[in-house]
Amino acid sequence: MKSLLITWLFLSFSTQALELPNPLTLKRTLELATTQNLEQQQLSINIALDKIELESYQDGYKTTVDLDLQLARRDNEKLGHTDYSHAFIKINKVLYDQNVEINQNAAKSNVKNTEFALQQFKIDKTTQVMQAFFNVILADMRHETVLERLAISAIRANRIQDNFDVQDASEVELLEKQTLTQFDVVKRIEAEAAQITTRAKLAQLLNMTYENRPDDLVKPDLTHFFKKELDEFEIWQKKIQLSNLELGELKRMLANLKQQRNLEKNNKEIVISSNIRLGGQSYDSSKNGNWRAGFSFVMPFGQSQRQKKKTSELLVKIKQQQLRIEQRAQELNQQALSLWLKLKTLKQRHQALTTELDYRDLYLELARANYEMEIKSDIGSAMSNLTDTEWKLTKNEFDFVIVFTQLQQLAGEDYAL
């Protein structure tokens, strides 16, 4: 039965090549990440296996039916041959078993632990997929900037070549421009490689082959993140203490350890069972057809050495868990403070880069006007600087969203794009 269930789980979680929407949005990418990831599927299988183990303890309370059949004759000096055959149907049910209750409680805790691992994995995977998605867009933008610079350097090198041909430029000037052009070619190759590797990484996170990689991505509009004020750190600190998933799980484990210790302290290893017997016997036919019922109560005298050892171990584990909660709370506060301070820096940089982008845009308009009026103009550099500032502004926005999402996750909040 267990092997059949595992096979069913594997088949139900198996993935196929999907038709990706084109272009692909960030929201759709995150949805695919929750259904296509192999590690997440493995954790789901682990949860199913833990639940099977839990059910195995619950089976201890199921009613059992046995057939007791005996065919026998005995020699008796006074009575001769006597028939001692009998046939009984016995119905037994354990009503309460203290050890089963303890084991069942531990199995429930294992299910909760695995479910938390899955939940934590989804949280970590969210930021990984977001970062991979952003990296593809940044690689495309960087490629655009590199191509513009290569075009500019190639034009300048051609002009110097023309001047050199009419002896209006030196060989030193020519080699200088050709060197710059060659290095810009190298940067173009690196930018193209980055486009490939970032797409391959995103495909891997989505459990897709490179041939089915996501190609055209939609740049998300994230300006709304910068329109609202960032809450003070004290507010985030309170949220973390109240709603952090990891702290909540550590506290749940502490409560479970305390419950286990109480159960072990009060464990008398009591077993209460009920039984019914119905049947007939050849040696006393007067009782044939009558049914019999009864209860049994079993409780050993005193507490076993195993129980004493178990309660002592649980007490030590409780103290360790309390210390772990205190240490993790301090670490989370420090981590949150670092993220919060980084957000303040990124938000201020966003304002500076927005101003710089306005400047680059106006400067390009001026350079374009001068070029059209055949006045000396650095329109090529102006275009390159504008796209470079756009890249820096976009990267800053992406960094802000990633850090903000991480802070939200620490506070136990759902990310919101």
Side-chain angles (χ1 to χ4, degrees):
M1 180 63 183
K2 185 182 292 187
S3 61
L4 289 174
L5 180 57
I6 295 172
T7 303
W8 176 82
L9 287 168
F10 175 78
L11 293 174
S12 64
F13 287 128
S14 61
T15 58
Q16 300 175 351
L18 296 180
E19 281 285 337
L20 283 179
N22 191 20
L24 183 63
T25 64
L26 177 57
K27 180 180 179 181
R28 180 60 179 143
T29 302
L30 292 172
E31 290 172 353
L32 288 172
T34 61
T35 57
Q36 290 292 104
N37 189 270
L38 293 178
E39 295 176 64
Q40 184 170 324
Q41 293 167 15
Q42 181 60 57
L43 285 171
S44 297
I45 291 174
N46 291 345
I47 291 174
L49 292 175
D50 287 342
K51 288 182 178 179
I52 291 173
E53 183 179 359
L54 176 59
E55 289 175 2
S56 69
Y57 290 110
Q58 295 171 341
D59 288 344
Y61 288 119
K62 288 186 176 178
T63 302
T64 60
V65 180
D66 300 311
L67 176 62
D68 183 1
L69 180 63
Q70 176 178 296
L71 299 175
R73 291 178 66 85
R74 295 183 190 175
D75 286 331
N76 190 299
E77 293 182 0
K78 295 181 178 180
L79 302 177
H81 295 291
T82 303
D83 190 354
Y84 281 91
S85 300
H86 66 253
F88 293 106
I89 294 177
K90 296 181 179 180
I91 302 173
N92 298 281
K93 181 176 178 58
V94 176
L95 301 178
Y96 179 77
D97 188 329
Q98 207 161 16
N99 284 326
V100 169
E101 293 294 319
I102 293 173
N103 292 332
Q104 188 171 260
N105 183 68
K108 288 179 181 177
S109 181
N110 287 337
V111 172
K112 291 289 184 182
N113 292 343
T114 315
E115 288 176 341
F116 170 75
L118 176 60
Q119 192 174 18
Q120 191 64 47
F121 177 84
K122 288 180 179 179
I123 289 174
D124 296 338
K125 188 60 64 177
T126 295
T127 51
Q128 290 179 27
V129 172
M130 287 174 67
Q131 187 65 70
F133 185 94
F134 292 157
N135 287 343
V136 173
I137 295 176
L138 291 172
D140 289 346
M141 294 182 69
R142 177 57 75 195
H143 182 258
E144 181 182 350
T145 303
V146 167
L147 287 181
E148 288 180 353
R149 288 178 178 174
L150 177 59
I152 294 168
S153 63
I155 291 172
R156 289 172 178 171
N158 289 335
R159 286 176 180 172
I160 293 295
Q161 181 69 57
D162 293 339
N163 293 337
F164 177 78
D165 292 340
V166 296
Q167 298 182 346
D168 196 22
S170 67
E171 186 177 3
V172 173
E173 292 176 303
L174 176 61
L175 290 175
E176 178 189 13
K177 297 301 182 184
Q178 289 178 341
T179 299
L180 292 174
T181 301
Q182 290 299 318
F183 277 112
D184 283 337
V185 171
V186 172
K187 290 179 180 178
R188 187 207 69 195
I189 295 173
E190 292 174 343
E192 290 173 351
Q195 287 182 300
I196 294 172
T197 55
T198 53
R199 281 172 168 79
K201 177 62 177 178
L202 182 57
Q204 178 189 3
L205 289 173
L206 298 178
N207 187 30
M208 296 177 181
T209 61
Y210 181 71
E211 290 74 18
N212 297 319
R213 66 189 178 278
D215 227 351
D216 297 328
L217 273 59
V218 178
K219 179 183 174 183
D221 182 8
L222 305 173
T223 54
H224 61 280
F225 278 92
F226 300 91
K227 293 179 180 179
K228 53 185 178 181
E229 292 295 324
L230 184 64
D231 289 335
E232 294 298 324
F233 176 67
E234 290 74 14
I235 295 177
W236 289 104
Q237 195 173 27
K238 290 178 181 178
K239 289 180 180 178
I240 290 170
Q241 292 297 323
L242 292 174
S243 306
N244 178 263
L245 293 177
E246 187 178 357
L247 276 182
E249 177 65 10
L250 290 173
K251 292 173 182 177
R252 185 197 66 77
M253 292 172 65
L254 175 61
N256 184 68
L257 286 171
K258 290 180 177 179
Q259 183 182 12
Q260 285 187 47
R261 186 168 184 270
N262 288 332
L263 288 172
E264 285 292 350
K265 283 177 65 178
N266 298 318
N267 184 13
K268 306 300 182 182
E269 298 187 345
I270 296 172
V271 179
I272 302 175
S273 302
S274 64
N275 57 82
I276 299 174
R277 189 177 74 166
L278 177 65
Q281 55 194 17
S282 61
Y283 51 87
D284 189 358
S285 59
S286 63
K287 296 180 180 180
N288 289 349
N290 296 332
W291 61 273
R292 302 176 187 179
F295 287 92
S296 63
F297 178 91
V298 179
M299 184 183 74
F301 285 108
Q303 191 178 46
S304 67
Q305 191 63 33
R306 181 201 65 80
Q307 290 173 283
K308 293 179 181 179
K309 181 182 177 183
K310 185 69 174 178
T311 52
S312 299
E313 288 177 349
L314 286 170
L315 181 59
V316 173
K317 288 182 179 181
I318 288 171
K319 293 179 179 179
Q320 288 178 332
Q321 189 70 7
Q322 289 172 333
L323 181 60
R324 190 177 292 117
I325 290 172
E326 293 176 6
Q327 291 175 333
R328 191 57 186 145
Q330 293 177 2
E331 292 169 357
L332 288 171
N333 281 334
Q334 187 62 38
Q335 186 178 349
L337 178 60
S338 177
L339 292 173
W340 185 78
L341 292 173
K342 191 173 182 179
L343 283 176
K344 290 180 70 70
T345 302
L346 290 168
K347 192 167 187 178
Q348 184 60 42
R349 184 178 296 164
H350 178 269
Q351 184 176 345
L353 287 170
T354 301
T355 303
E356 181 184 348
L357 186 63
D358 291 339
Y359 158 69
R360 297 293 185 191
D361 190 42
L362 288 174
Y363 190 88
L364 177 59
E365 290 297 322
L366 178 61
R368 186 177 287 114
N370 289 338
Y371 179 79
E372 291 172 354
M373 291 186 294
E374 299 183 354
I375 302 174
K376 183 178 180 181
S377 172
D378 58 345
I379 186 172
S381 296
M383 291 176 62
S384 177
N385 290 335
L386 176 65
T387 54
D388 185 60
T389 301
E390 288 175 340
W391 181 89
K392 290 189 291 185
L393 179 60
T394 300
K395 184 179 186 305
N396 189 80
E397 288 180 351
F398 289 166
D399 289 344
F400 184 93
V401 172
I402 290 291
V403 174
F404 186 76
T405 300
Q406 290 172 335
L407 187 56
Q408 280 186 308
Q409 290 169 344
L410 285 184
E413 297 179 353
D414 293 331
Y415 67 94
L417 295 176

